[in-house]
Amino acid sequence: MQIKLLLKLAALLISLIILPVKAEDSVPSEQRVAAFAGAEYWQVIRQGENGTTQSSTAEAGNLINVQGDYWRYWRNQWITPAGAFAVGGTLGLLAIFYLIVGQKKLDAPRSGNTIQRWSRLDRANHWTVAILFIILGISGLSLLYGKFVLKSVMGDGLWASYMLACKLAHNYLGPLFVLGLLLMILRWMKHNVFNRTDLTWFIKGGGIIGNAHPSAGYMNGGEKIWFWLLTLFGIAVCVSGLILDFPNFDQVRNTMQWANLVHAAGSLILIAASLGHIYIGTLGTEGALEGMTTGQVDETWAKQHHDLWYQEVKAREAKDTV
Amino acid sequence: MANMKFLCDSKRCIECNGCVTACKNENEVEWGVNRRRVVTVNDGLPDETSISVACMHCSDAPCMAVCPTDCFYKTDDGIVLHNKDACIGCGYCLFACPFGAPQFPSKSSFGERGKMDKCTFCAGGPEEDHSPEEKAKYGANRIAEGKLPMCAEMCSTKALLAGDADKVSDIFRERVIYRGHADGAWASNGSAEELAYDAAQPKA
Ligand code: SF4
Ligand code: SF4
């Protein structure tokens, strides 16, 4: 009995001594550890695998931000140069156009009679959005291109304050622009539905060159295009801008990268198009700007550029006086 | 002139977070800012692997390439630093950074980001070395004293290595050969300068 127990104990002791040696197999620990975290491990890490971490910062568990490089590529290699070409190119074309064709003059002398085109509310809405657009445009362009041009001109101190001002203006005026633009879109949409008249207007190239005067109602085809560009890209720019403006909703980097690309591309298209709008509304067409400043346009101008609308107004006046 | 790099040996990192603590303490970074963190993949499984990560002081640094205020600069030692006075907290560096290194303290109104903070390789900032301004904005400047970053100095298993790329890669290559890669698993296109270790290579 006792011998049996002793033997058992001895066997246990021997196995306790032998087993660990067997398990170690005389391979140093570092070489055994080297077996895991091999090729597949690094592949998933490179693809943006998430792990656990004690850090409480957003997305801290993500080791490699894979999309970051795509974002950098699209922003720096495509949007930055393409936007410069679009905006610079439009500016250049308009300058050449002005030099060659010049201002579109009134065909006949001013009649002296004016008609109401834009109400006070319309004008207030337009100029609010316009001024905000210009501030946001300049600050936005500075954020994208400033470092190539302004930084060396301004010097470190001024550059830092200027960029901070750009960012603050952009962040705080942005939401006001959203409100103004939405109001404008809602109020003016009814004027901007495309119809047959616009088709002929487009076929005749809007009468931009030469003396052709394609018919147009309250808004011509070109103005309608500008309206719908502003609606489409404007809403995209507003939505993406709000995503970027309020990082307190814990949106992830990927969302903000997309928002940034949409925001930059959309606003560069709008900035380029706005140059055309500004040119036509000021330098390019005699008698156009006063409609948006005073609200009144000369009858000669109305007849020449918006004949169908002119007739409508006249018909309404005639009916009212009867 | 050196080309400073970090390297975390994932076979040695034991997720003790000593580097994180050392960094916080040495640089006295704000609450909510983690210049360094340890990420563990396959936590609790037999192949659990941890890596300590912070700014890797990229050679072709994405943060530098996208910053609208162009406030980053590279020191002669290849360390990527930035000027907080010019930073506007736009967050672009974080969008572009491969390692989630840029941090943003103090969420002010509407979540507006404060000035970016990140690992400086314990090399301070553009202010005068060891000035109170430098200390307050960027933390320690050990490089100016001829010392290496605190995180790597404190690493208990010497998993986290910091220093000139040549030296760091020599140490690591030795370990890799010891573990069974006769050729050190060096990537065929890599130069010692850039630390191109190709973990996907089979053992020799
Ligand atoms: S912040 Fe990110 S992108 Fe910039 S050097 Fe450090 S690791 Fe590279
Ligand atoms: S947050 Fe600061 S450092 Fe980062 S990209 Fe913006 S301005 Fe540059």
Side-chain angles (χ1 to χ4, degrees):
Chain A
M1 188 71 193
Q2 269 191 343
I3 295 169
K4 248 186 182 173
L5 196 68
L6 266 175
L7 274 175
K8 264 187 184 166
L9 268 175
L12 193 70
L13 265 175
I14 289 165
S15 68
L16 274 176
I17 294 161
I18 292 172
L19 271 176
V21 175
K22 240 182 164 180
E24 291 262 296
D25 217 0
S26 76
V27 180
S29 61
E30 271 221 76
Q31 289 190 12
R32 277 183 294 121
V33 165
F36 38 87
E40 320 81 60
Y41 170 79
W42 290 104
Q43 262 153 25
V44 297
I45 291 295
R46 275 191 206 152
Q47 285 157 11
E49 172 82 331
N50 284 295
T52 53
T53 178
Q54 303 298 314
S55 166
S56 52
T57 335
E59 297 182 88
N62 179 251
L63 268 172
I64 309 264
N65 163 28
V66 182
Q67 324 88 302
D69 230 28
Y70 296 112
W71 176 72
R72 170 190 175 177
Y73 172 74
W74 282 101
R75 178 182 180 273
N76 285 13
Q77 308 307 125
W78 286 98
I79 292 183
T80 307
F85 275 119
V87 175
T90 312
L91 213 54
L93 285 180
L94 287 172
I96 293 171
F97 185 83
Y98 180 70
L99 289 177
I100 295 176
V101 183
Q103 193 182 48
K104 185 117 193 136
K105 299 279 182 202
L106 290 173
D107 289 344
R110 285 171 183 269
S111 65
N113 295 333
T114 60
I115 48 180
Q116 171 82 16
R117 185 161 166 81
W118 298 106
S119 71
R120 193 177 289 271
L121 187 58
D122 284 332
R123 281 175 284 147
N125 196 343
H126 173 269
W127 289 114
T128 312
V129 171
I131 290 167
L132 289 174
F133 185 95
I134 290 169
I135 298 175
L136 293 169
I138 291 174
S139 53
L141 288 174
S142 303
L143 287 165
L144 194 54
Y145 299 107
K147 65 173 167 184
F148 305 117
V149 204
L150 299 175
K151 194 186 176 207
S152 50
V153 181
M154 289 184 166
D156 284 354
L158 183 60
W159 166 248
S161 336
Y162 173 72
M163 288 305 278
L164 189 63
C166 281
K167 181 219 161 180
L168 290 174
H170 215 80
N171 279 12
Y172 286 91
L173 296 179
L176 293 182
F177 176 80
V178 174
L179 296 179
L181 183 70
L182 283 182
L183 189 68
M184 195 160 98
I185 290 173
L186 291 175
R187 294 183 64 244
W188 292 353
M189 193 170 285
K190 59 175 185 290
H191 300 311
N192 287 285
V193 183
F194 285 106
N195 56 28
R196 275 201 162 277
T197 321
D198 301 321
L199 197 65
T200 4
W201 191 92
F202 286 127
I203 292 169
K204 292 191 181 164
I208 287 174
I209 303 176
N211 282 319
H213 282 310
S215 285
Y218 187 66
M219 297 294 244
N220 65 37
E223 288 170 310
K224 289 181 185 178
I225 289 204
W226 172 229
F227 175 85
W228 288 108
L229 275 182
L230 209 48
T231 304
L232 196 75
F233 291 109
I235 288 176
V237 167
C238 288
V239 170
S240 54
L242 290 173
I243 292 174
L244 293 163
D245 205 355
F246 297 97
N248 47 335
F249 293 108
D250 289 336
Q251 52 275 57
V252 291
R253 280 171 297 186
N254 196 209
T255 312
M256 289 190 272
Q257 287 156 356
W258 273 109
N260 179 271
L261 294 182
V262 170
H263 194 74
S267 30
L268 285 164
I269 291 172
L270 286 183
I271 289 170
S274 76
L275 294 174
H277 171 71
I278 293 170
Y279 171 77
I280 295 172
T282 56
L283 261 189
T285 323
E286 186 183 1
L289 185 62
E290 54 210 60
M292 205 37 103
T293 50
T294 65
Q296 306 282 321
V297 289
D298 196 278
E299 287 193 357
T300 311
W301 182 88
K303 249 188 270 180
Q304 182 177 336
H305 293 284
H306 297 272
D307 52 343
L308 299 179
W309 171 64
Y310 175 73
Q311 286 157 19
E312 241 173 70
V313 174
K314 284 292 144 190
R316 217 182 305 136
E317 271 177 15
K319 225 165 77 193
D320 287 350
T321 47
V322 167
Chain B
M1 230 173 43
N3 183 22
M4 293 299 190
K5 291 289 171 210
F6 279 122
L7 190 149
C8 182
D9 187 340
S10 61
K11 312 281 193 236
R12 282 188 173 213
C13 177
I14 55 167
E15 198 204 353
C16 68
N17 279 291
C19 49
V20 176
T21 315
C23 173
K24 275 232 160 219
N25 192 56
E26 184 70 5
N27 294 299
E28 288 170 32
V29 288
E30 276 180 65
W31 278 104
V33 167
N34 296 287
R35 288 186 178 180
R36 180 169 283 289
R37 66 193 195 276
V38 177
V39 177
T40 305
V41 179
N42 300 330
D43 193 18
L45 299 172
D47 53 352
E48 171 178 313
T49 304
S50 299
I51 301 180
S52 171
V53 61
C55 171
M56 297 296 272
H57 303 277
C58 307
S59 302
D60 169 23
C63 55
M64 229 165 158
V66 299
C67 175
T69 69
D70 199 18
C71 72
F72 288 91
Y73 62 100
K74 217 171 196 140
T75 69
D76 291 342
D77 291 329
I79 301 170
V80 177
L81 297 179
H82 72 296
N83 176 1
K84 284 194 180 183
D85 293 342
C87 171
I88 56 173
C90 65
Y92 287 5
C93 47
L94 175 63
F95 300 175
C97 173
F99 306 106
Q103 303 283 306
F104 295 91
S106 68
K107 291 191 173 167
S108 60
S109 44
F110 310 116
E112 193 185 334
R113 299 178 186 89
K115 294 191 183 293
M116 190 273 276
D117 188 273
K118 74 167 187 68
C119 156
T120 65
F121 210 85
C122 284
E127 265 85 7
E128 198 191 320
D129 286 348
H130 305 300
S131 61
E133 294 80 37
E134 184 192 55
K135 178 86 191 151
K137 285 184 198 164
Y138 308 94
N141 191 345
R142 294 170 55 85
I143 293 291
E145 296 170 333
K147 297 174 184 163
L148 286 170
M150 198 54 149
C151 51
E153 297 284 71
M154 290 298 228
C155 180
S156 54
T157 60
K158 288 286 163 273
L160 186 60
L161 304 173
D164 186 19
D166 277 340
K167 303 243 165 52
V168 168
S169 54
D170 280 347
I171 296 170
F172 186 60
R173 185 191 285 119
E174 204 178 294
R175 291 183 189 174
V176 169
I177 289 170
Y178 177 72
R179 289 168 195 162
H181 281 275
D183 58 355
W186 238 229
S188 46
N189 61 346
S191 63
E193 282 283 286
E194 302 302 337
L195 287 186
Y197 166 65
D198 183 1
Q201 272 195 34
K203 283 190 187 180

